[in-house]
Amino acid sequence: MCATCGCDDEAGPRITVPHEHDLPHGHGHGHGHGHGHGHGHGHGDGHEHGHDGAPVQTETVTLEQQVLAKNDLLAERTRGWLAGRGVTAINVMSSPGAGKTTLLERTIRELSGSAPIAVIEGDQETLLDAERIRSAGCVAVQVNTGAGCHLDAQMMHDALIALDPAPGTLVFVENVGNLVCPALFDLGEQAKVVIISTPEGTDKPLKYPHIFAVADLVVVNKVDLLPYVDFELETCGLHAGSVNPGVEVLAVSASTGEGMEAWYRWIADRRSGRS
């Protein structure tokens, strides 16, 4: 069991790659990464006992620090490798149903001529989203986490080995649908994007402050539904700014294309290092 968030990772993630002819060739990795899983597993009772016999909880905090320290070290190595190859990785996070996959499908179709694009798909089960991404014209690697509720640096590392992105590739990481645990785990990405959708409500940044606090960009999706739902764009932006001062907020509809040009400009700035 993950010491940090409690998710069950005993079986380990399952990584599914596309057929060999769909993968880029001739780009061996220079990763100096270890292959131990990023989750520590404590097997003691985790208790120390004071003079009065009452248990003193210390082991959980120590183990969580060890888990995150190991994860962060691997993430930094991955970040250095990506930078050395000129690969831009963007970690896309949201709750289930916010429209991550739809946003990526449209992005792939409309940006495919400007840069090679690849996707690492994170889900607890199924290959459904990876199949959608491949249908959009992009190479994708599926990472199934089982009972795990987030991707971590080790899963990112293993997926990159399977993906083997060519220099200059734009890699989107579609994290497991969850607004809690993905905030804790650095993957080695250059940027974190949080997507929320208008049906979810204006107060999401206040309810889940940690993930909004680490975001480089907040995307409000499904603005085409604004006439039918109780959502205030300006108020949501103020809430996001209260937990992450200065964070940029973009309003888009991945279904209709509204606002997508601003999203593409943000991506271009990230790839060029202008932000």
Side-chain angles (χ1 to χ4, degrees), residues 28-153:
H29 280 258
H31 289 289
H33 306 354
H35 291 274
H37 194 281
H39 290 61
H41 299 277
H43 295 286
D45 63 6
H47 296 167
E48 295 180 2
H49 295 273
H51 295 295
D52 59 358
V56 179
Q57 298 284 350
T58 61
E59 186 65 21
T60 299
V61 174
T62 302
L63 188 55
E64 178 177 334
Q65 291 172 341
Q66 293 172 348
V67 168
L68 292 177
K70 182 176 181 179
N71 182 87
D72 291 348
L73 177 61
L74 181 53
E76 279 302 310
R77 291 175 178 172
T78 297
R79 186 173 290 109
W81 180 88
L82 291 168
R85 183 170 282 200
V87 173
T88 301
I90 298 176
N91 183 6
V92 182
M93 304 174 288
S94 81
S95 58
K100 294 191 301 297
T101 308
T102 301
L103 182 77
L104 292 181
E105 285 177 307
R106 191 176 196 107
T107 300
I108 291 163
R109 292 191 177 103
E110 296 187 351
L111 293 187
S112 59
S114 62
I117 302 176
V119 176
I120 296 171
E121 276 290 342
D123 276 307
Q124 289 189 317
E125 296 293 345
T126 81
L127 305 177
L128 295 175
D129 285 350
E131 291 168 354
R132 286 175 60 183
I133 291 299
R134 291 170 195 157
S135 296
C138 178
V139 175
V141 169
Q142 179 75 51
V143 180
N144 288 125
T145 62
C149 55
H150 57 85
L151 297 178
D152 61 24

Side-chain angles (χ1 to χ4, degrees), residues 161-208:
I161 289 178
L163 190 61
D164 194 18
T169 299
L170 174 61
V171 176
F172 290 107
V173 182
E174 184 174 352
N175 217 313
V176 179
N178 183 353
L179 285 178
V180 181
C181 299
L184 299 173
F185 287 84
D186 186 1
L187 305 182
E189 73 282 271
Q190 283 91 345
K192 293 180 171 67
V193 176
V194 175
I195 300 175
I196 58 174
S197 61
T198 56
E200 294 178 73
T202 304
D203 56 359
K204 275 292 183 291
L206 301 180
K207 289 184 174 181
Y208 302 93

Side-chain angles (χ1 to χ4, degrees), residues 198 220-229 252-258:
T198 56
V220 179
N221 190 27
K222 304 185 183 180
V223 295
D224 53 304
L225 299 181
L226 280 173
Y228 314 105
V229 297
V252 309
S253 170
S255 297
T256 68
E258 180 180 351

